[in-house]
Amino acid sequence: MNIKILTPEYVVFEGEVDSVLLPGKNGEFHIMKNHAGIVSSLVGGKVKLYANSINESFAKNFTKENEKDSVFSYPIKSGVIEFNNDKGIILCE
């Protein structure tokens, strides 16, 4: 599935991932391939991308959670996600 993470200043990430874990108002939620369409607000926390690797040009924006798993995290203050047809856009600050 394709995910884009955008801030007002720059593109944080754009590429293919296996899934994404997001900090929602009522707790964390996980979006995987073929997930139903969703629009949701996000609260402060970490956006976690589950992917084998991420493009080097975006890697500087992320912290690798651990060496064993392919989980890359990016801290946000707030935001919104729109996900439909295996494509998601996360607007955040």
Side-chain angles (χ1 to χ4, degrees):
M1 60 190 222
N2 187 276
I3 295 291
K4 290 181 187 177
I5 303 175
L6 308 170
T7 70
E9 292 83 26
Y10 60 97
V11 176
V12 175
F13 177 81
E14 181 175 358
E16 293 293 316
V17 300
D18 296 324
S19 64
V20 60
L21 183 66
L22 300 153
K25 184 177 180 182
N26 294 323
E28 288 185 327
F29 63 99
H30 210 135
I31 294 179
M32 302 175 85
K33 290 182 182 181
N34 300 316
H35 194 285
I38 186 173
V39 174
S40 179
S41 60
L42 304 173
V43 297
K46 292 181 182 180
V47 172
K48 295 182 182 180
L49 303 179
Y50 291 76
N52 291 331
S53 64
I54 58 175
N55 187 303
E56 287 183 26
S57 62
F58 299 122
K60 67 181 182 281
N61 300 322
F62 290 86
T63 302
K64 191 163 184 182
E65 289 290 303
N66 62 49
E67 293 303 316
K68 191 179 206 181
D69 298 323
S70 297
V71 181
F72 304 88
S73 66
Y74 178 74
I76 66 168
K77 294 180 184 174
S78 64
V80 64
I81 182 169
E82 178 183 5
F83 185 85
N84 198 19
N85 295 324
D86 281 344
K87 294 180 183 169
I89 298 175
I90 300 167
L91 304 174
C92 59
E93 51 180 345

Coordinates of all heavy atoms in Angstrom, one line a residue:
M1 N 0.8 -1.2 0.0 CA 0.0 0.0 0.0 C 0.9 1.2 0.0 O 2.0 1.2 0.5 CB -1.0 0.0 1.2 CG -0.3 0.0 2.5 SD -1.6 -0.3 3.8 CE -1.0 0.8 5.0
N2 N 0.4 2.3 -0.5 CA 1.2 3.5 -0.7 C 0.8 4.5 0.4 O -0.4 4.8 0.6 CB 1.0 4.1 -2.1 CG 1.9 5.3 -2.3 OD1 1.6 6.4 -1.9 ND2 3.0 5.0 -2.9
I3 N 1.7 5.1 1.1 CA 1.5 6.1 2.1 C 2.3 7.3 1.8 O 3.5 7.2 1.5 CB 1.9 5.5 3.5 CG1 1.0 4.3 3.9 CG2 1.9 6.6 4.6 CD1 -0.4 4.7 4.2
K4 N 1.7 8.5 2.1 CA 2.4 9.8 2.0 C 2.2 10.4 3.4 O 1.1 10.4 3.9 CB 1.8 10.7 0.9 CG 2.0 10.2 -0.5 CD 1.4 11.3 -1.4 CE 1.5 10.7 -2.9 NZ 0.8 11.7 -3.8
I5 N 3.3 11.0 3.9 CA 3.2 11.7 5.1 C 3.7 13.1 4.8 O 4.8 13.3 4.3 CB 4.1 11.1 6.2 CG1 3.7 9.7 6.5 CG2 4.0 12.0 7.5 CD1 4.6 9.0 7.5
L6 N 2.8 14.1 5.0 CA 3.1 15.5 4.6 C 3.0 16.4 5.8 O 2.1 16.3 6.6 CB 2.2 16.0 3.5 CG 2.0 15.1 2.3 CD1 0.8 15.6 1.5 CD2 3.3 15.1 1.5
T7 N 3.9 17.4 5.9 CA 3.8 18.5 6.9 C 3.7 19.8 6.0 O 3.9 19.7 4.8 CB 5.1 18.6 7.8 OG1 6.2 19.0 7.0 CG2 5.4 17.3 8.5
P8 N 3.4 20.9 6.7 CA 3.4 22.1 5.9 C 4.7 22.5 5.3 O 4.8 23.2 4.3 CB 3.0 23.2 6.9 CG 2.2 22.4 8.0 CD 2.9 21.1 8.0
E9 N 5.8 22.0 5.8 CA 7.1 22.3 5.4 C 7.7 21.4 4.3 O 8.4 21.9 3.4 CB 8.1 22.4 6.5 CG 7.9 23.5 7.5 CD 6.9 23.1 8.6 OE1 6.7 21.9 8.9 OE2 6.2 24.1 9.1
Y10 N 7.4 20.1 4.4 CA 8.0 19.2 3.5 C 7.3 17.8 3.4 O 6.5 17.5 4.2 CB 9.5 19.0 3.8 CG 9.8 18.4 5.2 CD1 10.0 17.1 5.4 CD2 9.8 19.3 6.3 CE1 10.2 16.6 6.7 CE2 10.0 18.8 7.6 CZ 10.3 17.4 7.7 OH 10.5 16.9 9.0
V11 N 7.8 17.0 2.5 CA 7.3 15.6 2.4 C 8.1 14.8 3.3 O 9.3 14.7 3.0 CB 7.3 15.1 0.9 CG1 6.9 13.7 0.8 CG2 6.5 16.0 0.0
V12 N 7.5 14.2 4.3 CA 8.3 13.4 5.3 C 8.6 12.0 4.6 O 9.6 11.4 4.8 CB 7.5 13.2 6.6 CG1 8.2 12.2 7.5 CG2 7.3 14.6 7.2
F13 N 7.5 11.4 3.9 CA 7.7 10.1 3.4 C 6.7 9.9 2.3 O 5.5 10.4 2.3 CB 7.4 9.0 4.5 CG 7.4 7.6 4.0 CD1 8.6 7.0 3.8 CD2 6.3 7.0 3.6 CE1 8.7 5.7 3.3 CE2 6.3 5.7 3.2 CZ 7.5 5.0 3.0
E14 N 7.1 9.1 1.3 CA 6.2 8.7 0.2 C 6.7 7.4 -0.3 O 7.9 7.3 -0.7 CB 6.1 9.7 -0.9 CG 5.2 9.3 -2.0 CD 5.0 10.4 -3.1 OE1 5.6 11.4 -3.0 OE2 4.3 10.1 -4.1
G15 N 5.9 6.3 -0.2 CA 6.3 5.0 -0.7 C 5.4 3.9 -0.2 O 4.4 4.1 0.4
E16 N 5.9 2.7 -0.5 CA 5.2 1.5 -0.2 C 5.5 1.0 1.2 O 6.7 1.0 1.6 CB 5.5 0.4 -1.2 CG 5.0 0.7 -2.6 CD 3.5 0.7 -2.7 OE1 2.9 -0.2 -2.2 OE2 3.0 1.6 -3.4
V17 N 4.5 0.6 1.9 CA 4.7 0.0 3.3 C 3.8 -1.2 3.4 O 2.8 -1.4 2.6 CB 4.4 1.0 4.4 CG1 5.3 2.2 4.3 CG2 2.9 1.4 4.4
D18 N 4.0 -2.1 4.4 CA 3.2 -3.2 4.6 C 2.0 -2.8 5.5 O 0.8 -3.3 5.3 CB 3.9 -4.3 5.4 CG 5.1 -4.9 4.5 OD1 4.9 -5.0 3.3 OD2 6.1 -5.2 5.1
S19 N 2.2 -1.9 6.4 CA 1.1 -1.4 7.3 C 1.6 -0.1 8.0 O 2.8 0.2 8.0 CB 0.6 -2.4 8.3 OG 1.7 -2.8 9.2
V20 N 0.7 0.5 8.7 CA 1.0 1.7 9.4 C 0.2 1.8 10.7 O -1.0 1.4 10.8 CB 0.8 3.0 8.6 CG1 -0.7 3.2 8.2 CG2 1.2 4.3 9.3
L21 N 0.9 2.1 11.8 CA 0.2 2.2 13.1 C 0.1 3.7 13.5 O 1.2 4.4 13.4 CB 1.0 1.5 14.2 CG 0.5 1.4 15.6 CD1 -0.8 0.6 15.7 CD2 1.5 0.8 16.6
L22 N -1.1 4.2 13.9 CA -1.3 5.6 14.0 C -1.9 5.9 15.4 O -2.6 5.1 16.0 CB -2.3 6.1 13.0 CG -1.8 5.9 11.5 CD1 -3.0 5.7 10.6 CD2 -1.0 7.0 11.1
P23 N -1.5 7.1 16.0 CA -2.1 7.5 17.3 C -3.4 8.3 17.1 O -3.5 9.4 16.7 CB -1.0 8.5 17.8 CG -0.4 9.1 16.5 CD -0.5 8.0 15.5
G24 N -4.5 7.6 17.3 CA -5.8 8.1 17.2 C -6.3 8.7 18.5 O -5.8 8.5 19.5
K25 N -7.4 9.5 18.4 CA -8.0 10.1 19.6 C -8.4 9.1 20.6 O -8.3 9.3 21.8 CB -9.2 11.0 19.2 CG -9.8 11.7 20.3 CD -10.9 12.6 19.8 CE -11.5 13.4 20.9 NZ -12.6 14.2 20.5
N26 N -8.9 7.9 20.2 CA -9.3 6.9 21.1 C -8.3 5.8 21.3 O -8.7 4.7 21.7 CB -10.7 6.3 20.6 CG -11.8 7.3 20.7 OD1 -11.8 8.1 21.6 ND2 -12.7 7.3 19.7
G27 N -7.1 6.0 20.9 CA -6.0 5.0 21.0 C -5.4 4.7 19.7 O -5.9 5.2 18.6
E28 N -4.3 3.9 19.7 CA -3.6 3.6 18.5 C -4.5 2.7 17.6 O -5.3 1.9 18.1 CB -2.3 2.8 18.8 CG -1.2 3.7 19.4 CD 0.1 3.0 19.5 OE1 0.0 1.8 19.8 OE2 1.1 3.6 19.4
F29 N -4.4 2.8 16.3 CA -5.0 1.9 15.4 C -4.1 1.6 14.2 O -3.2 2.4 13.8 CB -6.4 2.4 14.9 CG -6.3 3.7 14.1 CD1 -6.4 3.7 12.7 CD2 -6.3 5.0 14.7 CE1 -6.4 4.9 12.0 CE2 -6.3 6.1 14.0 CZ -6.3 6.1 12.6
H30 N -4.3 0.4 13.7 CA -3.4 -0.2 12.7 C -4.1 -0.3 11.3 O -5.3 -0.8 11.3 CB -3.0 -1.6 13.1 CG -1.7 -2.0 12.6 ND1 -0.7 -2.6 13.5 CD2 -1.0 -1.9 11.4 CE1 0.4 -2.9 12.8 NE2 0.2 -2.5 11.5
I31 N -3.5 0.2 10.3 CA -4.1 0.1 8.9 C -3.2 -0.8 8.1 O -2.0 -0.6 8.1 CB -4.2 1.5 8.3 CG1 -5.2 2.4 9.0 CG2 -4.6 1.3 6.8 CD1 -5.4 3.8 8.4
M32 N -3.9 -1.8 7.6 CA -3.1 -2.8 6.7 C -3.7 -2.8 5.3 O -4.7 -2.1 5.1 CB -3.3 -4.2 7.4 CG -2.7 -4.2 8.8 SD -3.0 -5.8 9.6 CE -1.6 -6.6 9.1
K33 N -3.1 -3.5 4.4 CA -3.6 -3.6 3.0 C -5.0 -4.0 3.0 O -5.5 -4.8 3.9 CB -2.7 -4.6 2.2 CG -1.3 -4.1 2.0 CD -0.5 -5.1 1.1 CE 0.9 -4.5 0.9 NZ 1.7 -5.3 0.1
N34 N -5.8 -3.5 2.1 CA -7.2 -3.8 1.9 C -8.1 -3.3 3.0 O -9.2 -3.8 3.2 CB -7.4 -5.3 1.6 CG -6.7 -5.7 0.4 OD1 -6.7 -5.1 -0.6 ND2 -6.1 -6.9 0.5
H35 N -7.6 -2.4 3.8 CA -8.4 -1.8 4.9 C -9.5 -1.0 4.3 O -9.4 -0.4 3.3 CB -7.5 -0.9 5.8 CG -8.1 -0.5 7.1 ND1 -9.1 0.5 7.2 CD2 -7.8 -0.9 8.4 CE1 -9.4 0.6 8.5 NE2 -8.6 -0.2 9.2
A36 N -10.6 -0.9 5.0 CA -11.8 -0.1 4.5 C -11.3 1.4 4.5 O -10.5 1.8 5.3 CB -12.9 -0.3 5.5
G37 N -12.0 2.1 3.7 CA -11.7 3.6 3.6 C -12.0 4.2 5.0 O -12.9 3.8 5.7
I38 N -11.1 5.2 5.3 CA -11.2 5.8 6.7 C -10.7 7.3 6.6 O -9.7 7.5 5.8 CB -10.5 5.0 7.7 CG1 -10.7 5.6 9.1 CG2 -9.0 4.9 7.4 CD1 -10.1 4.8 10.3
V39 N -11.3 8.1 7.3 CA -10.8 9.5 7.6 C -10.8 9.6 9.1 O -11.8 9.4 9.7 CB -11.6 10.6 6.9 CG1 -11.1 12.0 7.3 CG2 -11.6 10.4 5.4
S40 N -9.7 10.0 9.7 CA -9.6 10.1 11.1 C -8.6 11.2 11.5 O -7.6 11.4 10.9 CB -9.1 8.7 11.7 OG -9.0 8.8 13.1
S41 N -8.9 11.8 12.7 CA -8.0 12.8 13.2 C -6.9 12.0 14.0 O -7.2 10.9 14.5 CB -8.7 13.8 14.1 OG -9.4 13.1 15.2
L42 N -5.8 12.6 14.2 CA -4.6 12.0 14.9 C -4.2 12.9 16.0 O -4.3 14.1 15.9 CB -3.5 11.7 13.9 CG -3.8 10.9 12.7 CD1 -2.5 10.9 11.8 CD2 -4.2 9.5 13.1
V43 N -3.7 12.3 17.1 CA -3.2 13.1 18.2 C -1.7 12.9 18.3 O -1.1 12.2 17.5 CB -3.9 12.6 19.5 CG1 -5.4 12.9 19.5 CG2 -3.6 11.2 19.8
G44 N -1.1 13.6 19.3 CA 0.3 13.5 19.4 C 0.8 12.1 19.7 O 0.1 11.3 20.4
G45 N 1.9 11.7 19.1 CA 2.4 10.3 19.3 C 3.3 10.0 18.1 O 3.9 10.9 17.5
K46 N 3.4 8.7 17.8 CA 4.3 8.3 16.7 C 3.5 7.6 15.6 O 2.7 6.8 15.9 CB 5.3 7.3 17.3 CG 6.4 7.9 18.2 CD 7.4 6.8 18.7 CE 8.4 7.3 19.6 NZ 9.3 6.3 20.0
V47 N 3.8 8.0 14.4 CA 3.4 7.2 13.2 C 4.4 6.2 13.0 O 5.6 6.5 12.9 CB 3.2 8.2 12.0 CG1 2.9 7.3 10.8 CG2 2.2 9.2 12.2
K48 N 4.0 4.9 13.0 CA 4.9 3.8 12.8 C 4.7 3.1 11.5 O 3.6 2.6 11.2 CB 4.9 2.8 13.9 CG 5.3 3.4 15.3 CD 5.2 2.4 16.4 CE 5.6 3.0 17.7 NZ 5.6 2.1 18.8
L49 N 5.7 3.1 10.6 CA 5.6 2.4 9.3 C 6.2 1.1 9.4 O 7.3 0.9 10.0 CB 6.4 3.2 8.3 CG 5.9 4.7 8.0 CD1 6.8 5.3 6.9 CD2 4.5 4.7 7.6
Y50 N 5.5 0.1 9.0 CA 6.0 -1.3 8.9 C 6.4 -1.6 7.5 O 5.5 -1.7 6.6 CB 5.0 -2.3 9.4 CG 4.7 -2.2 10.9 CD1 3.9 -1.1 11.4 CD2 5.2 -3.1 11.8 CE1 3.7 -1.0 12.8 CE2 5.0 -3.0 13.2 CZ 4.2 -1.9 13.6 OH 4.0 -1.8 15.0
A51 N 7.7 -1.7 7.2 CA 8.2 -1.8 5.8 C 9.6 -2.5 5.9 O 10.3 -2.3 6.9 CB 8.3 -0.5 5.1
N52 N 9.9 -3.3 4.9 CA 11.2 -3.9 4.8 C 12.4 -2.8 4.8 O 13.4 -3.0 5.5 CB 11.4 -4.8 3.6 CG 10.5 -6.0 3.7 OD1 10.2 -6.5 4.8 ND2 10.0 -6.5 2.6
S53 N 12.1 -1.7 4.1 CA 13.1 -0.6 4.1 C 12.4 0.6 3.6 O 11.3 0.5 3.1 CB 14.3 -1.0 3.2 OG 13.8 -1.1 1.9
I54 N 13.0 1.7 3.8 CA 12.5 3.0 3.3 C 13.6 3.7 2.5 O 14.8 3.5 2.8 CB 11.9 3.9 4.4 CG1 12.9 4.2 5.5 CG2 10.7 3.3 5.0 CD1 12.4 5.2 6.5
N55 N 13.2 4.5 1.6 CA 14.1 5.2 0.7 C 15.1 6.0 1.5 O 14.7 6.7 2.5 CB 13.3 6.1 -0.2 CG 14.1 6.8 -1.3 OD1 15.1 7.5 -1.0 ND2 13.8 6.5 -2.5
E56 N 16.3 6.0 1.2 CA 17.3 6.8 1.9 C 17.0 8.2 2.0 O 17.4 8.9 3.0 CB 18.7 6.6 1.2 CG 19.3 5.2 1.5 CD 20.7 5.1 0.8 OE1 21.4 6.1 0.7 OE2 21.1 3.9 0.5
S57 N 16.4 8.8 1.0 CA 16.1 10.3 1.1 C 15.1 10.6 2.2 O 15.0 11.7 2.7 CB 15.6 10.8 -0.2 OG 14.4 10.1 -0.6
F58 N 14.3 9.6 2.6 CA 13.3 9.8 3.7 C 13.8 9.2 5.0 O 13.3 9.6 6.1 CB 12.0 9.1 3.4 CG 11.3 9.7 2.1 CD1 11.0 8.9 1.1 CD2 11.0 11.0 2.0 CE1 10.4 9.4 -0.1 CE2 10.4 11.6 0.9 CZ 10.1 10.7 -0.2
A59 N 14.8 8.4 5.0 CA 15.3 7.7 6.2 C 15.7 8.7 7.3 O 15.5 8.4 8.5 CB 16.4 6.8 5.9
K60 N 16.2 9.8 7.0 CA 16.7 10.8 8.0 C 15.5 11.3 8.9 O 15.8 11.8 10.0 CB 17.4 12.0 7.3 CG 16.4 12.8 6.4 CD 17.2 14.0 5.7 CE 16.2 14.8 4.9 NZ 15.8 14.3 3.7
N61 N 14.3 11.2 8.4 CA 13.1 11.7 9.1 C 12.6 10.7 10.2 O 11.8 11.0 11.0 CB 12.0 12.0 8.2 CG 12.3 13.1 7.2 OD1 13.0 14.0 7.5 ND2 11.9 12.9 6.0
F62 N 13.2 9.5 10.1 CA 12.6 8.4 11.0 C 13.6 7.8 11.9 O 14.8 7.9 11.7 CB 12.1 7.2 10.0 CG 10.9 7.6 9.3 CD1 11.0 8.2 8.0 CD2 9.7 7.3 9.7 CE1 9.9 8.6 7.3 CE2 8.5 7.7 9.0 CZ 8.7 8.3 7.8
T63 N 13.1 7.2 13.0 CA 13.9 6.4 13.9 C 13.5 5.0 13.7 O 12.3 4.7 13.7 CB 13.5 6.9 15.4 OG1 13.8 8.3 15.5 CG2 14.3 6.1 16.4
K64 N 14.5 4.1 13.6 CA 14.2 2.7 13.5 C 13.9 2.2 14.9 O 14.7 2.4 15.8 CB 15.4 2.0 12.9 CG 15.0 0.5 12.5 CD 16.0 -0.1 11.5 CE 15.5 -1.4 11.1 NZ 16.3 -2.1 10.2
E65 N 12.8 1.6 15.1 CA 12.3 1.1 16.4 C 13.3 0.1 17.0 O 13.6 0.2 18.2 CB 10.9 0.5 16.4 CG 9.9 1.6 16.1 CD 9.7 2.5 17.3 OE1 9.4 2.0 18.4 OE2 9.8 3.7 17.2
N66 N 13.7 -0.9 16.2 CA 14.8 -1.8 16.7 C 15.4 -2.5 15.5 O 14.8 -2.4 14.4 CB 14.2 -2.8 17.7 CG 13.2 -3.7 17.1 OD1 13.3 -4.3 16.0 ND2 12.1 -3.8 17.9
E67 N 16.5 -3.1 15.6 CA 17.2 -3.7 14.5 C 16.5 -5.0 14.0 O 16.6 -5.4 12.8 CB 18.6 -4.0 14.9 CG 19.5 -2.8 15.1 CD 19.5 -1.9 13.9 OE1 19.7 -2.3 12.8 OE2 19.4 -0.6 14.1
K68 N 15.8 -5.6 14.9 CA 15.1 -6.9 14.5 C 14.0 -6.7 13.6 O 13.8 -7.4 12.6 CB 14.7 -7.6 15.8 CG 14.2 -9.0 15.7 CD 13.8 -9.6 17.0 CE 14.0 -11.1 17.0 NZ 13.6 -11.6 18.3
D69 N 13.1 -5.8 13.9 CA 11.9 -5.5 13.1 C 12.1 -4.4 12.2 O 12.9 -3.5 12.4 CB 10.7 -5.2 14.0 CG 10.4 -6.4 14.9 OD1 10.5 -7.6 14.5 OD2 10.0 -6.1 16.1
S70 N 11.3 -4.3 11.1 CA 11.4 -3.2 10.2 C 10.3 -2.2 10.5 O 9.3 -2.1 9.7 CB 11.3 -3.8 8.8 OG 12.4 -4.6 8.5
V71 N 10.4 -1.5 11.6 CA 9.5 -0.5 12.1 C 10.2 0.8 12.2 O 11.2 0.9 12.9 CB 8.9 -0.9 13.4 CG1 7.8 0.1 13.8 CG2 8.3 -2.3 13.4
F72 N 9.6 1.8 11.4 CA 10.2 3.1 11.4 C 9.2 4.1 12.0 O 8.0 4.1 11.6 CB 10.6 3.5 10.0 CG 11.5 2.5 9.3 CD1 11.0 1.4 8.6 CD2 12.9 2.7 9.4 CE1 11.8 0.5 8.0 CE2 13.7 1.8 8.8 CZ 13.2 0.7 8.1
S73 N 9.6 5.0 12.9 CA 8.7 5.8 13.6 C 9.0 7.3 13.3 O 10.1 7.7 13.1 CB 8.6 5.6 15.1 OG 9.8 5.9 15.7
Y74 N 7.9 8.1 13.3 CA 8.0 9.6 13.1 C 7.1 10.2 14.1 O 5.9 9.9 14.1 CB 7.6 9.9 11.7 CG 7.7 11.4 11.4 CD1 8.9 12.1 11.2 CD2 6.5 12.1 11.3 CE1 8.9 13.4 11.0 CE2 6.5 13.5 11.0 CZ 7.7 14.1 10.9 OH 7.8 15.5 10.6
P75 N 7.6 11.1 15.0 CA 6.8 11.8 16.0 C 5.9 12.9 15.3 O 6.4 13.6 14.5 CB 7.8 12.4 16.9 CG 9.0 12.6 16.1 CD 9.0 11.5 15.1
I76 N 4.6 13.0 15.8 CA 3.7 14.0 15.3 C 3.1 14.7 16.5 O 3.0 14.1 17.6 CB 2.7 13.5 14.4 CG1 1.7 12.5 15.0 CG2 3.3 12.9 13.1 CD1 0.5 12.2 14.2
K77 N 2.6 15.9 16.4 CA 1.8 16.6 17.4 C 0.4 16.4 17.2 O -0.4 16.3 18.2 CB 2.2 18.1 17.4 CG 3.6 18.4 17.7 CD 3.8 19.9 17.7 CE 5.3 20.2 18.0 NZ 5.6 21.6 17.8
S78 N -0.1 16.4 15.9 CA -1.5 16.2 15.6 C -1.5 16.0 14.1 O -0.6 16.2 13.4 CB -2.3 17.4 16.0 OG -2.0 18.5 15.3
G79 N -2.7 15.6 13.6 CA -2.9 15.4 12.2 C -4.2 14.8 11.8 O -5.1 14.6 12.6
V80 N -4.2 14.3 10.5 CA -5.4 13.7 10.0 C -4.9 12.7 8.9 O -3.9 12.9 8.3 CB -6.4 14.7 9.4 CG1 -5.8 15.4 8.2 CG2 -7.7 14.0 9.0
I81 N -5.6 11.6 8.8 CA -5.3 10.6 7.8 C -6.6 10.3 6.9 O -7.7 10.3 7.4 CB -4.8 9.2 8.3 CG1 -4.5 8.3 7.1 CG2 -5.8 8.6 9.3 CD1 -3.8 7.0 7.5
E82 N -6.4 10.2 5.6 CA -7.4 9.7 4.7 C -6.8 8.5 4.0 O -5.7 8.6 3.5 CB -7.7 10.8 3.7 CG -8.8 10.3 2.7 CD -9.1 11.3 1.6 OE1 -8.4 12.3 1.5 OE2 -10.0 10.9 0.8
F83 N -7.5 7.4 4.1 CA -7.1 6.1 3.5 C -8.2 5.5 2.7 O -9.3 5.4 3.2 CB -6.6 5.2 4.6 CG -6.0 3.9 4.0 CD1 -4.7 3.8 3.7 CD2 -6.8 2.8 3.9 CE1 -4.1 2.7 3.2 CE2 -6.2 1.6 3.3 CZ -4.9 1.6 3.0
N84 N -7.9 5.1 1.4 CA -8.9 4.5 0.6 C -8.1 3.8 -0.6 O -7.2 4.3 -1.1 CB -9.8 5.6 0.0 CG -11.1 4.9 -0.5 OD1 -11.4 3.8 -0.2 ND2 -11.8 5.7 -1.3
N85 N -8.6 2.6 -0.9 CA -8.0 1.9 -2.1 C -6.5 1.7 -1.9 O -5.8 1.9 -2.9 CB -8.4 2.5 -3.4 CG -9.8 2.6 -3.7 OD1 -10.5 1.6 -3.4 ND2 -10.3 3.6 -4.3
D86 N -6.1 1.3 -0.8 CA -4.6 1.0 -0.5 C -3.7 2.2 -0.7 O -2.5 2.1 -1.0 CB -4.1 -0.2 -1.3 CG -4.5 -1.5 -0.6 OD1 -4.9 -1.5 0.6 OD2 -4.4 -2.5 -1.3
K87 N -4.3 3.5 -0.6 CA -3.5 4.7 -0.6 C -3.9 5.6 0.5 O -5.1 5.8 0.8 CB -3.8 5.4 -1.9 CG -3.3 4.7 -3.1 CD -3.6 5.4 -4.4 CE -3.1 4.6 -5.6 NZ -3.6 5.1 -6.9
G88 N -2.9 6.1 1.3 CA -3.2 6.9 2.4 C -2.4 8.2 2.4 O -1.2 8.2 2.0
I89 N -3.0 9.3 2.8 CA -2.3 10.5 3.0 C -2.4 11.0 4.4 O -3.6 11.0 5.0 CB -2.9 11.6 2.1 CG1 -2.7 11.2 0.6 CG2 -2.2 13.0 2.3 CD1 -3.3 12.2 -0.4
I90 N -1.3 11.2 5.1 CA -1.3 11.7 6.5 C -0.8 13.1 6.4 O 0.3 13.4 6.0 CB -0.3 10.8 7.3 CG1 -0.8 9.4 7.3 CG2 -0.2 11.4 8.7 CD1 0.2 8.4 7.9
L91 N -1.6 14.0 6.9 CA -1.2 15.4 7.0 C -1.0 15.7 8.5 O -1.9 15.4 9.3 CB -2.4 16.4 6.5 CG -2.8 16.1 5.1 CD1 -4.0 17.0 4.8 CD2 -1.7 16.4 4.1
C92 N 0.2 16.2 8.8 CA 0.5 16.3 10.2 C 1.5 17.5 10.5 O 2.0 18.1 9.6 CB 1.2 15.0 10.8 SG 2.7 14.5 9.9
E93 N 1.7 17.7 11.8 CA 2.7 18.7 12.2 C 3.5 18.2 13.3 O 3.1 17.2 13.9 CB 2.0 20.0 12.6 CG 0.9 19.9 13.5 CD 0.3 21.3 13.9 OE1 0.9 22.3 13.6 OE2 -0.8 21.3 14.4

